[in-house]
Amino acid sequence: MLKLLTLISLLFPAKGLSDSAENWQLGFQDPATPIMEGIINLHHDLMFFICVISIFVTWMLFRTLWHFNSHQNKNPSSLSHGMLIEIIWTVTPAIILLVIAIPSFSLLYAMDEIISPAITIKTLGHQWYWSYEYSDYLNEEGESIMYDSYMIPEEDLETGQLRLLEVDNRMVVPVNTHVRLIVSAADVLHSWAVPSLGIKCDAIPGRLNQTSLFIKREGIYYGQCSEICGINHGFMPIAVEAVSLPNYISWISNKLSE
């Protein structure tokens, strides 16, 4: 009976929110922010145009190969110029690009917009780990919350934890709250990227880049440095834990009292 249940679970896996990469995954991870939802919707819209164009071009190629060959036409046509068809294949792609540009520019502006953040978090990339600073909160000594986030070695993983993705200290943020991320690096180029959140922000030494974050649901979201930064590039993961506002306040209180 146990073997039968195991086989059924393998053939028909339970539907869940994929906040980390899955085996043989071809599509996007489940979106957790409005920006990621917009990216996925734009991708689906573009795929419609791509499929229509691919089918039309393939049909034209096969039609040309079938009708315009030496067996079908013993006397080849001398036509070498057609004004109408040239106008059509110039104007039509231009119209398609204009249609695509409207949602594309809208999404680009939304990704670049910083909306009155309630929380500001500074993310600093090191070789090869991340550090986070919550400068909005100060303890009795006037010090802000700062901590490092290292990958958990494979031999220390607990049951259910993800290899090469789990960290000892996650970045904790509240849901339904505008968060501003200030991203930089201490040594070489890094890139702070979390697919489910639709974020990929370069960390450049001596420069501060910023991006916004608005998570709509609770969960743990995994990412990795997406800039080749050295020998341990693949061992500096990112883990973002989105919690409710009361739990976030409790977490902040505990951090300030440490």
Side-chain angles (χ1 to χ4, degrees), residues 37-55:
E37 291 176 354
I39 293 174
I40 294 177
N41 290 334
L42 179 62
H43 169 268
H44 294 343
D45 294 340
L46 295 182
M47 282 300 296
F48 169 77
F49 289 103
I50 292 174
C51 292
V52 171
I53 293 172
S54 299
I55 293 172

Side-chain angles (χ1 to χ4, degrees), residues 10 35 42 66 76 88 127 137 173 177 183-184 220 234 251 253:
L10 292 175
I35 293 298
L42 179 62
W66 176 258
I88 292 175
Q127 286 184 316
Y137 315 101
V173 294
T177 303
V183 183
S184 185
I220 302 174
W251 180 82
S253 300

